[in-house]
Amino acid sequence: ATSYKGMDIIDASVPLSPSLLGTFQYNGQNLYGVAVNSGFAYIITTTTSTTLCIVDVHDPQSPTLFTTLEDLPCVIAVNYVRSSSIAIHGTTVYYSCEGTFGIIDIKDASWPSPQLLGEYTAQVFDFAVDGNTVYLASYAQLLVLDVSTPSSPRLVGSHFIPIAVYDDFYASYYLGIAIVDERVYVASYGLYVFEIPKPTSAPPTALPTSAPSTAPPTSTPTSAPPTPAPPTPA
């Protein structure tokens, strides 16, 4: 996605000589984040409102609009958005749009019918998804969300990240995030690496080595005291 120029589809089969295959524009809107799955491109567009465009790209030379989900939650500053990201996991689309992180259900990737499931309000510049956990690169901090209940994303952790602030606009370009091999990498005023904690398992329960006996204890018989010897006659 190339902002106000729309989306370009490029043939990179020859890396040293990429060629333009097709382009897509939507009502003069700015196009930002894009993700592709099963012949469909999912694009976040915004100028004065935010829309998820689902574009059929089976024919890359002639991409066509398939469907849209309009009026998505998004904080827009001065008619532009400084940062927007989108990712697809299964039948779920995750997107960020400046002051909002949203979750959209697309049900079936081959026949999308999008529906907004939930949202979380925070200044988000980028994000990464790991199962039911989402890591948000927010302003000067890493936020950790539990999205196991998509209608109600829940903050479960955070960590401070230093950031270089030249002014409020350019600061946003210092945050990117990725997950590789159970580590979260955040690009800010430097590179910060966080270890993803592994879930702890319950300690094993010790099993009895033998079944307890229900019979009453048997007392050990004691020997009779010795019989005294008869007196010796004088």
Side-chain angles (χ1 to χ4, degrees):
T2 56
S3 188
Y4 64 90
K5 293 183 179 180
M7 177 185 70
D8 291 340
I9 303 176
I10 297 172
D11 181 358
S13 57
V14 181
L16 296 179
S17 182
S19 59
L20 180 66
L21 293 178
T23 61
F24 172 81
Q25 293 185 339
Y26 177 68
N27 296 340
Q29 295 271 8
N30 294 334
L31 309 187
Y32 290 94
V34 60
V36 180
N37 183 47
S38 300
F40 291 92
Y42 298 77
I43 310 168
I44 292 295
T45 78
T46 185
T47 299
T48 57
S49 63
T50 301
T51 299
L52 170 67
C53 286
I54 301 178
V55 181
D56 187 339
V57 293
H58 286 90
D59 180 359
Q61 294 181 338
S62 182
T64 57
L65 181 66
F66 184 80
T67 189
T68 61
L69 179 60
E70 299 182 350
D71 298 325
L72 291 174
C74 179
V75 175
I76 301 175
V78 198
N79 288 338
Y80 61 80
V81 173
R82 292 175 288 180
S83 182
S84 181
S85 299
I86 188 169
I88 303 172
H89 287 258
T91 59
T92 304
V93 171
Y94 301 92
Y95 79 93
S96 64
C97 182
E98 185 65 11
T100 304
F101 171 77
I103 304 174
I104 299 170
D105 181 14
I106 57 174
K107 299 186 186 302
D108 185 345
S110 63
W111 190 259
S113 51
Q115 177 184 359
L116 181 67
L117 295 179
E119 61 182 283
Y120 183 83
T121 301
Q123 190 172 24
V124 183
F125 301 118
D126 198 4
F127 66 87
V129 182
D130 182 28
N132 287 324
T133 305
V134 177
Y135 298 85
L136 306 180
S138 185
Y139 187 83
Q141 59 182 332
L142 172 67
L143 303 179
V144 185
L145 296 185
D146 178 357
V147 295
S148 55
T149 303
S151 60
S152 182
R154 182 171 59 94
L155 181 67
V156 293
S158 63
H159 197 286
F160 171 72
I161 300 174
I163 185 171
V165 181
Y166 298 110
D167 59 56
D168 187 53
F169 182 83
Y170 289 104
S172 67
Y173 291 97
Y174 284 81
L175 285 171
I177 190 168
I179 298 176
V180 180
D181 296 333
E182 298 184 343
R183 289 185 174 91
V184 179
Y185 296 80
V186 182
S188 177
Y189 191 55
L191 177 66
Y192 297 84
V193 184
F194 300 86
E195 190 82 21
I196 299 177
K198 296 181 179 179
T200 57
S201 57
T205 303
L207 299 176
T209 56
S210 61
S213 174
T214 57
T218 303
S219 58
T220 303
T222 57
S223 58
T227 303
T232 304

